[in-house]
Amino acid sequence: MLRERVNPTDAYALEWQIRQLQKGQHETFVFLGNLGVGISAERLAAGDSNGYDKVFLLLDDTDDYQGDVETRPPRIV
């Protein structure tokens, strides 16, 4: 996960972030449709929805990502 403010104008505007997430990997994860972006709860509460605060990859159990991985518990929405 990259924690940085980005304000993409189109699909190509996240190219640098995608390259950073993909750096050092022997598999391609980004192009499998598992790239995500997020806005902090504080910014949402303040009504600020311009841009994103993080860019991340959603991995499954079969992915062999080299590096730090944050595991989140399942959640029912």
Side-chain angles (χ1 to χ4, degrees):
M1 178 182 323
L2 299 176
R3 294 181 191 274
E4 61 183 53
R5 182 98 184 240
V6 294
N7 194 5
T9 54
D10 59 33
Y12 301 104
L14 293 173
E15 183 71 22
W16 184 86
Q17 287 81 9
I18 290 169
R19 297 277 181 224
Q20 294 305 305
L21 290 168
Q22 197 59 43
K23 190 184 292 185
Q25 302 305 310
H26 60 273
E27 292 182 44
T28 300
F29 298 104
V30 175
F31 303 104
L32 300 176
N34 50 357
L35 181 71
V37 293
I39 301 174
S40 70
E42 296 81 18
R43 284 194 40 232
L44 280 176
D48 179 5
S49 60
N50 275 336
Y52 303 102
D53 295 311
K54 56 185 121 181
V55 180
F56 57 90
L57 293 173
L58 294 172
L59 304 173
D60 62 34
D61 293 339
T62 62
D63 291 328
D64 185 25
Y65 188 82
Q66 304 298 309
D68 295 335
V69 175
E70 182 177 320
T71 303
R72 299 281 180 113
R75 215 174 123 192
I76 298 174
V77 181

